[in-house]
């Protein structure tokens, strides 16, 4: 396996930013810390989880926070930056608009799963139980984008299709006779 370098992480983020019309954070020190966080998470978990969120270390729980996370596009559109401010709009990159904090969009039950792996068992159990009483735990389903045909297996459809950028409303569930939950 090839060792992950900061240069590799930076190039991947730059390519993704260019593809979707975003910019990387203009503060060189802050940007470097985010890239180092991505590198560390990829080395730790085997996938580049968001550097500003606690990952569980379980890919199925963390799919929504693989960088770029599912919440990036709606965050950049609404607030000018993603939650960790790795990706920003042009006006923020150029200093024309102030970078303000972005509220967390990740659902509480998904956060509880991540915190449950890092906290004590008692704390984890309490957090997970609170999250589950607020909303019944979702089971992974097959979803497809009605615009481009992209298919994904997860609890909920993504906020934005990673292929054609269609909104979440363009996803429909594929009903199957196979039980994927076991």
């Amino acid at each position: 396996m090839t060792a992950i370098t900061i240069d590799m992480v930076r190039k991947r983020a730059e390519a993704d930013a260019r593809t979707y019309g975003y910019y990387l954070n203009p503060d060189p020190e802050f940007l470097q810390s985010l890239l180092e966080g991505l590198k560390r998470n990829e080395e730790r978990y085997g996938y580049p989880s968001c550097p500003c969120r606690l990952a569980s270390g379980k890919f199925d729980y963390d799919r929504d926070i693989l960088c770029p996370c599912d919440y990036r596009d709606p965050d950049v559109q609404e607030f000018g930056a993603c939650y960790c401010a790795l990706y920003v709009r042009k006006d923020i990159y150029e200093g024309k608009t102030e970078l303000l904090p972005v509220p967390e969009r990740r659902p509480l039950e998904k956060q509880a799963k991540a915190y449950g792996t890092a906290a004590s068992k008692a704390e984890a159990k309490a957090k997970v139980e609170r999250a589950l009483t607020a909303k019944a735990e979702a089971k992974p389903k097959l979803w497809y984008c009605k615009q481009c045909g992209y298919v994904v297996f997860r609890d909920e459809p993504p906020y934005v299709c990673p292929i054609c950028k269609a909104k979440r409303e363009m996803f429909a569930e594929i009903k199957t006779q196979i039980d994927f939950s076991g």
Side-chain angles (χ1 to χ4, degrees), residues 3-182:
I4 301 159
T5 66
I6 285 289
D7 192 47
M8 291 166 61
V9 173
R10 177 184 295 274
K11 285 180 180 178
R12 185 172 57 215
E14 288 171 343
D16 190 71
R18 271 192 310 276
T19 298
Y20 296 104
Y22 301 138
Y23 295 82
L24 297 184
N25 192 296
D27 180 334
E29 289 178 22
F30 186 69
L31 175 59
Q32 184 67 20
S33 71
L34 292 172
L35 296 173
E36 287 172 3
L38 276 171
K39 177 184 180 289
R40 194 169 32 258
N41 284 346
E42 192 164 358
E43 290 168 342
R44 181 183 301 149
Y45 304 121
Y47 50 87
S49 67
C50 184
C52 57
R53 292 185 171 99
L54 182 62
S56 70
K58 296 180 180 178
F59 182 80
D60 286 343
Y61 290 170
D62 296 339
R63 287 181 193 196
D64 63 320
I65 60 169
L66 296 183
C67 188
C69 71
D70 287 356
Y71 316 105
R72 179 195 62 183
D73 294 335
D75 284 348
V76 172
Q77 184 177 10
E78 187 173 346
F79 301 104
C82 64
Y83 183 65
C84 64
L86 174 61
Y87 295 98
V88 297
R89 274 190 325 233
K90 184 177 183 180
D91 58 318
I92 289 179
Y93 179 79
E94 293 175 343
K96 295 176 181 176
T97 305
E98 182 181 1
L99 179 61
L100 298 173
V102 176
E104 175 65 278
R105 287 183 194 263
R106 192 173 196 213
L108 286 175
E109 64 274 7
K110 290 186 179 191
Q111 292 180 50
K113 286 180 182 179
Y115 286 111
T117 60
S120 74
K121 288 185 179 183
E123 290 171 342
K125 184 177 179 186
K127 285 181 181 181
V128 171
E129 285 175 358
R130 283 194 301 271
L132 293 179
T133 55
K135 179 180 175 185
E137 187 171 17
K139 300 261 190 252
K141 301 172 187 170
L142 278 173
W143 298 95
Y144 77 97
C145 175
K146 294 186 275 187
Q147 185 163 309
C148 72
Y150 171 73
V151 177
V152 65
F153 180 65
R154 52 193 292 175
D155 298 347
E156 300 172 4
Y159 277 95
V160 177
C161 177
I163 305 301
C164 70
K165 296 298 181 193
K167 293 187 177 178
R168 169 178 245 170
E169 293 78 30
M170 290 300 293
F171 278 83
E173 184 181 353
I174 299 172
K175 298 287 184 183
T176 65
Q177 303 238 341
I178 302 169
D179 181 13
F180 289 106
S181 63

